[in-house]
Structure formats: structure tokens, C-alpha cells
């Protein structure tokens, strides 16, 4: 089965079919490249048009990293981080480092915070382990990864001397930026983030593909899943799953459902939720508009956030990502009768999980929470490609329907300016004075 969407449990609240003509217009705008932000539409045809020679280099670099390292440090933040982590957790395991295949290195993510503790932990981890570094930054000037790269570049040079250059891989702009200049001067192997692909749409470029390939994941299968999904979604029509999803969420938003919670009943989906939050939050949250994207891990969060979802403020709807089949088949064993669970003996956990999901969805609908569902065959490399492309394409449709430019992020600059002023960056002196008066 390919990816499917069900809006049945949202229909009592809002009917997406009423705004299909707007989704159709957004579809035309997106595919004709005639809308706002059209200089960032490189992701639309990426599953077909990606650079095949560079793809081969990604595989070769991944092999080299696997052969020479016990540890890969992936430095990046936001769109230069979340996709790779989401893929490794979703396709391999949230416990990848514990269960990784023979011959694949441990993978840790750095530069996604300015935390000293996080940096020190990774510094400690490198002792006694051969390591490589993949630094990922389109601009090359983002503070968090730039600080982190200083730390791990120095460590790499201390350990390996001149050979450090064979252990540092830079994923950045094709021609511009501080990282590109530095990488060229030092002789690092470079991979390109295309000009017309924004950070949060870049997981199917070397940004995501290199760390994912190092983890031993089949990146051909990811690209195939994305290409098959793109072929499907480029065809206009009310049965287009991206149309259905974009229409339902915009119809709900107009009825006051301003928060969307993405949920899954598999812990491996957790970082897909983080990736999805950035994709939708950064694409839609602007001009004082946009659905607030949140995520929960179920059933775990039914015991923490479940109360709010069931009975809190009624401005939320949920989108549940589910699977048709599973890799494993653990069943409930015979045991102490006192727990009252004898009726479950021999039943698969997947069946019980599915009943928990179905029961919860109906309880939430009864409690006033519209429910959308997105289902894929199973959690693997192919469905990762499908899901990535599905959510990206639906995001483009949804953003245009909302009336914003889904491909910029002007608001991200505000915190950076304040931070630069407060840490004393030259040129920010007046701003620093004004901010200090307010602290
Ligand atoms: O989606 C985006 O554009 C952002 O999340 C960026 O990816 C993030 O800020 C990192 O930027 P850069 O890759 O330039 O370091």
C-alpha cells in the first residue's frame, strides 16, 4: 500500500472539500513556480533531478567514514540537522547507537545547541575512538554549528594532524559562504546544498543523505519513495493525498483549530515529529498567521498530555501517522494472573497498539478533537522518502492556501540579532546598550 490520508474523523468539524478550489489554485502556483518564494522550489523536482554524480560521491564518502571511524560527529542545526536524525531514528532505530550494524559508526549530533555540557559529552566520547566530522551549514555562518565546528575541527587536527582534512566533510553552499571558503582552503571534501533548496526542505540532498548513508541506510530506496510520491502528488485532483491533508488542515484552521498535534504510536517516529514541526512552523508561522505545530509520542504521552488533548482548550486537532505492518511480532506472554491480563496472552503487541490508537482517536473525536490520519505500509527507507515528500508538498500547498510565503523565515533573524548584540559582536554596540537596559 502506498501512503493514504483519511479525513473521516475531521469531517464533523470542518469539510476540506469546500476549499478544494483554493488547493487546486495552490497546486498550480506551486508547480508552475509562479508564487511567492519561487526561488526556493528546488525541492519540488529533487527526487527526479538530483545530482546523480554527487549521489555516488555521498555513497563513497559514507563508505570511507564507515571504514575509518568508530564515531561520526554531525554538526548542524534546524534544517541542517533534523532530517538526518529523523531518518536514522525512523528507519534504523531511536537506539541506533546501541544496535547499529557491524561496521557502521556511532553517530552523534552536535552544534544544535550552545550547551557546554553537550559539547563536553561529545569531546569525552572521542577519546579512544577514531572519529570523522560532517559539518553542515548552508550559510556557513550560523552561530551554533560554527562554534561547534571550531571545537571539533581543533580536536580532529590535534588528533590526526595533516590527515584531519580526510576526516572532515563539509556540506554547504556550492560557491559562497564562510564554510565553503574554509573547506576549499583546507581541502575538505564538499557536498552541495543547492541554492534553490531551503534548509527545512533539504533532507533529500547531501544534508540528510550523507549521515543517513553512513548509518548503513539504503538511500536509493529513500529517493525512490520520494520519486514515487512526487509522481503521485503532481497529478491534480481531489483524491490527491496532499490535497486532502492541506484542505482539511486549512478548513480546520478557519474554524478556530489553530494547533495541530502530530502523533504516532511508534517511538521511532519521534524525530520525524521534530522535523515536521520545523517544516510547518517555519513555513506557515508568519504574518501573524499559521497553525502551531506540536507533537506527541503515543501511548506514552497519553499519560502526560492525554488529559489536555481530551479536555483542554478546544483549538487542537491531531494528525496520526500509522503503519500497516511491522518488522517484529512480540506477543504477550503467559504470566501472573493478578494483573488481569490473561485475556491478552498470545496476542501481538502491534494489535493491542492498534486498538489503543483506534480507541484513542475516537475518544479524542468525542472530546472535540478532529482527527486526521496518514498511513504508510511500514517504517522503512521507502516510506521515509514518501512521508518526506508528502509533508513537503502538502506544506507548499497549505502555505499558499494560507496566503503566506512558505519558503522564507524572516522571523528567525530577530533572536540572532539580540544574541549577537549581547555577546558583543562588533557593529551591534548601540543595540547592546538598549538591550542591557531592558534586562
Ligand atoms: O530551514 C532553515 O532555513 C533553517 O532551519 C536552517 O536550516 C538553520 O537555521 C541552519 O542554517 P544553516 O544551514 O545556514 O547553518
Amino acid at each position: 500500500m502506498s501512503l493514504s490520508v483519511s479525513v473521516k474523523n475531521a469531517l464533523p468539524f470542518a469539510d476540506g472539500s469546500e476549499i478544494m478550489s483554493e488547493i487546486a489554485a495552490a497546486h498550480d502556483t506551486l508547480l508552475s513556480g509562479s508564487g511567492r518564494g519561487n526561488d526556493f522550489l528546488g525541492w519540488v523536482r529533487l527526487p527526479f533531478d538530483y545530482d546523480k554524480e554527487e549521489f555516488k560521491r555521498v555513497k563513497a564518502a559514507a563508505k570511507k567514514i564507515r571504514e575509518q571511524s568508530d564515531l561520526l560527529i554531525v554538526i548542524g542545526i534546524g534544517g541542517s540537522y533534523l532530517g538526518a536524525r529523523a531518518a536514522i531514528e525512523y528507519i534504523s532505530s531511536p537506539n541506533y547507537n546501541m544496535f547499529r550494524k557491524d561496521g557502521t559508526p556511532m553517530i552523534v549530533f552536535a552544534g544544535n545547541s550552545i550547551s557546554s555540557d553537550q559539547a563536553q559529552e561529545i569531546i569525552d566520547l572521542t577519546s579512544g575512538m577514531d572519529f570523522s566530522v560532517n559539518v553542515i551549514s548552508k550559510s556557513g555562518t550560523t552561530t551554533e554549528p560554527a562554534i561547534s565546528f571550531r571545537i571539533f575541527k581543533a580536536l580532529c587536527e590535534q588528533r590526526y594532524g595533516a590527515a584531519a582534512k580526510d576526516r572532515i566533510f563539509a556540506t554547504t553552499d556550492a560557491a559562497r559562504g564562510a564554510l565553503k571558503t574554509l573547506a576549499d582552503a583546507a581541502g575538505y571534501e564538499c557536498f552541495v546544498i543547492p541554492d534553490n533548496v531551503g534548509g527545512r526542505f533539504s533532507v533529500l540532498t547531501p544534508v540528510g543523505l550523507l549521515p543517513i548513508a553512513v548509518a548503513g541506510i539504503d538511500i536509493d530506496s529513500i529517493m525512490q519513495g520520494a520519486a514515487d510520491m512526487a509522481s503521485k502528488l503532481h497529478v491534480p485532483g481531489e483524491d490527491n493525498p496532499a490535497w486532502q491533508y492541506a484542505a482539511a488542515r486549512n478548513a480546520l484552521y478557519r474554524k478556530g483549530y489553530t494547533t495541530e498535534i502530530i502523533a504516532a504510536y511508534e517511538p521511532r517516529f519521534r524525530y520525524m515529529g521534530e522535523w515536521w514541526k520545523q517544516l510547518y512552523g517555519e513555513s506557515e508561522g508568519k504574518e501573524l498567521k499559521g497553525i502551531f505545530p506540536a507533537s506527541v509520542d503515543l501511548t506514552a504521552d497519553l499519560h502526560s498530555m492525554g488529559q489536555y488533548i481530551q479536555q483542554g482548550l478546544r483549538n487542537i486537532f491531531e494528525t496520526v501517522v500509522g503503519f500497516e505492518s511491522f518488522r517484529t511480532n512480540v506477543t504477550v506472554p503467559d504470566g501472573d494472573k493478578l494483573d488481569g491480563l490473561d485475556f491478552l496472552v498470545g496476542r501481538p503487541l502491534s494489535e493491542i497498539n492498534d486498538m489503543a490508537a483506534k480507541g484513542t482517536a475516537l475518544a479524542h473525536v468525542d472530546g472535540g478533537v478532529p482527527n486526521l490520519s496518514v498511513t504508510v505500509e511500514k517504517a522503512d527507507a521507502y516510506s521515509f522518502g514518501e512521508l518526506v515528500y508528502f509533508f513537503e508538498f502538502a506544506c507548499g500547498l497549505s502555505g499558499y492556501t494560507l496566503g503566506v510565503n512558505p519558503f522564507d523565515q524572516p522571523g528567525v533573524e530577530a533572536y540572532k540579532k539580540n544574541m549577537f548584540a549581547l555577546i558583543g559582536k562588533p557593529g551591534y554596540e548601540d543595540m547592546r546598550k538598549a538591550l542591557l537596559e531592558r534586562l
Side-chain angles (χ1 to χ4, degrees):
M1 190 201 88
S2 182
L3 180 149
S4 66
V5 168
S6 170
V7 298
K8 186 175 157 205
N9 285 324
L11 283 178
F13 305 91
D15 186 354
S17 65
E18 288 168 6
I19 61 166
M20 279 300 182
S21 58
E22 292 177 55
I23 303 292
H27 185 101
D28 282 347
T29 307
L30 190 58
L31 286 189
S32 64
S34 57
R36 293 165 74 188
N38 57 5
D39 43 348
F40 280 99
L41 292 179
W43 59 273
V44 174
R45 292 200 50 82
L46 194 64
F48 310 120
D49 297 347
Y50 65 93
D51 180 338
K52 311 291 184 299
E53 283 311 307
E54 186 172 57
F55 195 76
K56 280 190 202 152
R57 276 204 306 117
V58 164
K59 287 183 178 173
K63 185 165 175 281
K64 178 173 169 187
I65 293 170
R66 283 200 297 270
E67 283 165 1
Q68 71 184 11
S69 307
D70 309 312
L71 170 70
L72 172 66
I73 302 168
V74 181
I75 299 174
I77 196 165
S80 292
Y81 152 62
L82 288 165
R85 182 158 184 182
I88 292 168
E89 296 210 1
Y90 174 84
I91 302 164
S92 177
S93 162
N95 301 308
Y96 163 81
N97 283 332
M98 218 185 288
F99 297 116
R100 66 190 194 275
K101 292 184 216 156
D102 275 355
T104 62
M106 188 178 272
I107 299 177
V108 292
F109 294 91
N112 52 65
S113 76
I114 318 175
S115 159
S116 166
D117 290 355
Q118 186 197 39
Q120 187 62 52
E121 258 181 28
I122 301 175
I123 294 168
D124 292 347
L125 198 59
T126 60
S127 78
M129 284 180 118
D130 272 319
F131 66 94
S132 297
V133 174
N134 179 200
V135 55
I136 308 169
S137 178
K138 186 169 183 183
S139 62
T141 54
T142 308
T143 310
E144 293 90 336
I147 292 175
S148 182
F149 185 50
R150 277 195 174 218
I151 296 170
F152 294 105
K153 174 178 178 285
L155 207 63
C156 198
E157 286 167 352
Q158 246 169 45
R159 173 87 66 89
Y160 300 105
K165 76 169 182 46
D166 298 321
R167 292 180 169 269
I168 298 178
F169 299 81
T171 308
T172 188
D173 190 89
R176 289 182 300 267
L179 180 56
K180 177 65 183 161
T181 312
L182 199 153
D184 283 347
Y188 305 149
E189 178 159 16
C190 286
F191 296 95
V192 174
I193 310 177
D195 270 352
N196 58 359
V197 178
R200 60 190 175 276
F201 289 85
S202 71
V203 58
L204 301 179
T205 74
V207 169
L209 295 176
L210 179 56
I212 296 171
V214 172
I217 290 168
D218 176 3
I219 57 174
D220 288 291
S221 190
I222 291 181
M223 296 311 284
Q224 190 59 54
D228 290 349
M229 187 50 46
S231 301
K232 185 169 178 174
L233 299 186
H234 288 192
V235 179
E238 296 197 8
D239 56 349
N240 180 317
W243 282 38
Q244 293 167 347
Y245 178 57
R249 61 196 301 284
N250 275 279
L252 287 163
Y253 176 67
R254 291 175 194 185
K255 292 261 170 88
Y257 295 95
T258 55
T259 295
E260 177 178 8
I261 304 176
I262 200 158
Y265 286 74
E266 291 296 331
R268 65 175 65 251
F269 192 81
R270 179 163 170 226
Y271 261 83
M272 287 292 287
E274 299 302 313
W275 170 84
W276 173 89
K277 284 193 284 194
Q278 184 197 358
L279 181 66
Y280 279 80
E282 221 169 54
S283 300
E284 294 189 323
K286 52 196 70 161
E287 299 174 29
L288 306 179
K289 294 194 261 194
I291 296 170
F292 182 82
S295 64
V296 288
D297 301 334
L298 302 179
T299 59
D301 288 338
L302 292 177
H303 302 264
S304 56
M305 297 304 290
Q307 171 59 38
Y308 190 102
I309 298 171
Q310 191 66 47
Q311 295 182 327
L313 194 64
R314 299 297 72 184
N315 67 336
I316 55 181
F317 65 100
E318 60 186 354
T319 297
V320 181
V321 177
F323 305 93
E324 289 284 308
S325 64
F326 303 90
R327 300 176 204 184
T328 54
N329 188 27
V330 175
T331 56
V332 178
D334 208 350
D336 194 328
K337 298 194 179 341
L338 282 176
D339 63 10
L341 294 181
D342 260 8
F343 71 102
L344 290 177
V345 171
R347 308 256 295 267
L349 263 56
S350 55
E351 179 199 325
I352 303 169
N353 206 18
D354 189 38
M355 292 306 124
K358 291 192 161 98
T360 304
L362 294 180
H364 288 175
V365 169
D366 292 344
V369 178
N371 184 286
L372 303 172
S373 73
V374 176
T375 307
V376 290
E377 164 61 30
K378 59 174 181 286
D380 59 9
Y382 182 83
S383 74
F384 177 80
E386 287 186 306
L387 282 168
V388 161
Y389 197 85
F390 166 75
F391 281 123
E392 288 181 352
F393 196 79
C395 183
L397 295 180
S398 204
Y400 279 148
T401 305
L402 184 67
V404 299
N405 173 357
F407 308 114
D408 67 359
Q409 54 285 328
V412 179
E413 294 311 308
Y415 101 89
K416 290 186 187 167
K417 285 184 191 147
N418 282 1
M419 178 177 74
F420 290 151
L422 289 172
I423 59 180
K425 187 169 179 173
Y428 286 77
E429 293 76 8
D430 290 348
M431 198 169 161
R432 175 178 162 81
K433 211 166 145 251
L435 286 176
L436 286 176
E437 277 165 18
R438 291 172 54 201
L439 287 177

